[in-house]
């Protein structure tokens, strides 16, 4: 049984003790819950991969509690990296930087770079400070499924596989951090709450976003190894429907009349106008609310036994780009244009 403790001083002390002893612990961040271990301890980091069932070639993000920890993780911190850290940390931006020697290769899956961020959740910051070491942490879900945004999600996925998860309430951002590579051309490898536009403003030069469709054949190395895996998927077969609400409602009604277990994944206030049971994931025109609600909604579809779900899709710019990126992967790139 995994212990769940409210995120107070006691819990943080107990979690820090476990981390120092080489154990893995579930911790809240502002984006999603993470599965943390001492990033400097190779055996501890291996336990993360075991608990999650994560492929070994997918690198982890290292979480720091203050700028003084950054040199432990990255051997070179460019002026641009410093400017971005100043602008967005603590917060949901991961910088891919040259890896320091103290970080074992298992963290970065053998890459010479390491993803690093300073999370904006008070419990995460207190935990890193008390543990006194940077923490490697992927999202605290079983590999392949939707990320956890509530402590109950972590319990459901990892019960009995980790000793403790600290409850920090609902994650306010709801989708994982933006991952940025700072090369000749800055490239967003995974869109998130910090947008390419906001990053470009700080850098004073254009920022590209990696293609949404990640089709990698065996042997090819994608820039961000995480991009080649099936992600965030509910058990129900999810399809994205592009088009206005009228056409969406018609399409859902037609499907619901033909096959069993059809659900709508729609925006707040739309459920009553649909001929199928519905789960809402946020407000139309409000990407931040969609990001905050998406993973819980995907999990609700599974709890209700949905067989097939059809999702409404909104704007794909700004934070909407992060929402669409996760929806596309959860749907395994199934999109229908109405
Ligand atoms: O918001 C988040 O980032 C959450 C919370 C817990 O901090 N963490 C998270 O970790 O989403 P994870 O492991 O689920 O996703 C890490 C992503 C993967 O897509 C991985 O490929 C990429 O970051 N990544 C990590 N290190 C990298 C590196 N050195 N180069 C390129 N991509 C990297
Ligand atoms: Mg993940």
């Amino acid at each position: 049984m995994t212990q769940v403790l409210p995120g107070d001083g006691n819990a943080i002390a107990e979690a820090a003790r476990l981390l120092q002893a080489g154990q893995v612990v579930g911790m809240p961040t502002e984006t999603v819950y993470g599965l943390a271990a001492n990033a400097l301890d190779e055996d501890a980091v291996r336990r993360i991969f075991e608990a999650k069932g994560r492929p070994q070639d997918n690198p982890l993000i290292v979480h720091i509690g203050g700028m003084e920890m950054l040199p432990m993780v990255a051997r070179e911190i460019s002026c641009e990296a410093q400017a971005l850290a100043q602008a967005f940390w603590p917060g949901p931006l991961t910088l891919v930087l040259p890896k320091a020697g103290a970080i074992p290769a298992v963290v970065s899956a053998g890459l010479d770079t390491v993803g690093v961020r300073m999370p904006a959740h008070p419990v995460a910051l207190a935990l890193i400070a008390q543990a006194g070491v940077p923490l490697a942490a992927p999202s605290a879900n079983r590999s392949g499924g939707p990320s956890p945004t509530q402590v109950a999600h972590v319990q459901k996925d990892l019960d009995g596989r980790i000793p403790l998860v600290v409850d920090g309430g609902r994650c306010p951002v709801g989708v994982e951090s933006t991952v940025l590579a700072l090369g000749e051309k800055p490239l967003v490898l995974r869109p998130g709450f910090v947008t390419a536009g906001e990053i470009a403003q700080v850098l004073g030069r254009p920022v590209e976003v990696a293609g949404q469709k990640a089709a990698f054949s065996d042997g090819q190395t994608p820039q961000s190894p995480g991009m080649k895996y099936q992600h965030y998927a509910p058990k129900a077969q999810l399809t994205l429907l592009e088009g206005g609400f009228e056409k969406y409602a018609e399409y859902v009604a037609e499907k619901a009349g033909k096959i069993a277990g059809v659900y709508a994944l729609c925006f707040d206030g739309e459920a009553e106008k649909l001929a199928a049971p519905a789960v809402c994931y946020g407000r139309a025109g409000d990407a931040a609310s969609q990001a905050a609600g998406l993973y819980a909604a995907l999990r609700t579809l599974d709890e209700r036994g949905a067989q097939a779900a059809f999702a409404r899709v909104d704007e794909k710019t700004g934070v909407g780009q992060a929402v669409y990126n996760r929806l596309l992967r959860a749907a395994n790139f199934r999109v229908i244009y109405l």
Side-chain angles (χ1 to χ4, degrees):
M1 270 266 297
T2 298
Q3 195 182 11
V4 181
L5 291 176
D8 57 16
N10 282 338
I12 288 163
E14 173 62 5
R17 192 189 62 74
L18 287 165
L19 289 166
Q20 284 163 350
Q23 295 298 311
V24 297
V25 163
M27 73 167 176
T29 83
E30 80 281 28
T31 56
V32 301
Y33 276 77
L35 187 57
N38 177 355
L40 308 176
D41 179 341
E42 185 175 336
D43 293 335
V45 172
R46 285 193 196 287
R47 290 200 180 97
I48 294 177
F49 287 87
E50 280 162 27
K52 258 194 87 118
R54 183 181 178 98
Q56 292 278 349
D57 64 345
N58 194 3
L60 306 177
I61 292 170
V62 177
H63 298 69
I64 58 172
M67 285 307 279
E68 72 287 349
M69 267 189 191
L70 188 54
M72 283 189 209
V73 180
R75 68 170 185 274
E76 212 180 282
I77 300 137
S78 65
C79 292
E80 287 198 324
Q82 266 174 40
L84 292 170
Q86 177 139 39
F88 298 112
W89 286 356
L93 174 66
T94 293
L95 299 174
V96 175
L97 300 175
K99 188 177 80 64
I103 300 293
V106 61
V107 171
S108 62
L111 296 173
D112 189 40
T113 55
V114 62
V116 55
R117 81 180 192 97
M118 192 190 296
H121 197 291
V123 172
L125 288 173
L127 184 52
I128 301 166
Q130 191 139 347
V133 287
L135 300 178
S139 48
N141 52 294
R142 292 300 287 268
S143 209
S147 296
T149 53
Q150 302 169 20
V151 78
H153 299 163
V154 183
Q155 264 180 295
K156 176 142 201 301
D157 280 15
L158 298 175
D159 192 34
R161 303 177 74 89
I162 58 173
L164 171 67
V165 52
V166 182
D167 186 355
R170 286 173 194 239
C171 304
V173 171
V175 293
E176 304 84 345
S177 61
T178 307
V179 178
L180 180 74
L182 277 169
E184 214 161 285
K185 281 187 184 160
L187 180 66
V188 170
L189 301 174
R190 178 177 73 183
F193 197 76
V194 174
T195 64
E198 290 170 326
I199 295 167
Q201 250 189 344
V202 171
L203 296 181
R205 59 179 181 136
V207 173
E208 286 183 17
V209 180
Q212 291 277 22
K213 176 112 196 175
F216 297 106
S217 53
D218 284 348
Q220 246 185 311
T221 311
Q223 290 218 39
S224 183
M227 294 196 303
K228 74 182 175 190
Y229 292 107
Q230 161 97 50
H231 263 118
Y232 322 120
K235 293 187 188 74
Q237 178 177 284
L238 183 65
T239 306
L240 313 186
L241 299 184
E242 295 255 13
F245 180 76
E246 300 293 306
K247 284 183 174 168
Y248 174 84
E250 264 172 44
Y251 190 96
V252 168
E254 196 207 312
K255 284 287 176 190
K258 276 194 201 145
I259 49 176
V262 166
Y263 270 73
L265 181 63
C266 63
F267 299 127
D268 297 356
E270 294 177 346
E272 45 276 20
K273 299 174 214 147
L274 294 168
V279 175
C280 302
Y281 74 99
R283 291 179 292 277
D286 179 354
S289 78
Q290 295 160 24
L294 179 62
Y295 287 137
L298 292 175
R299 285 171 179 265
T300 301
L301 287 173
D302 284 343
E303 280 159 22
R304 302 223 184 133
Q307 299 297 307
F310 296 93
R312 287 268 279 144
V313 175
D314 210 337
E315 287 299 316
K316 303 179 190 77
T317 54
V319 177
Q321 192 164 37
V323 173
Y324 187 65
N325 172 282
R326 306 313 189 275
L327 276 170
L328 261 184
R329 280 161 181 74
N332 208 4
F333 299 96
R334 255 184 313 274
V335 185
I336 291 172
Y337 297 85
L338 300 172

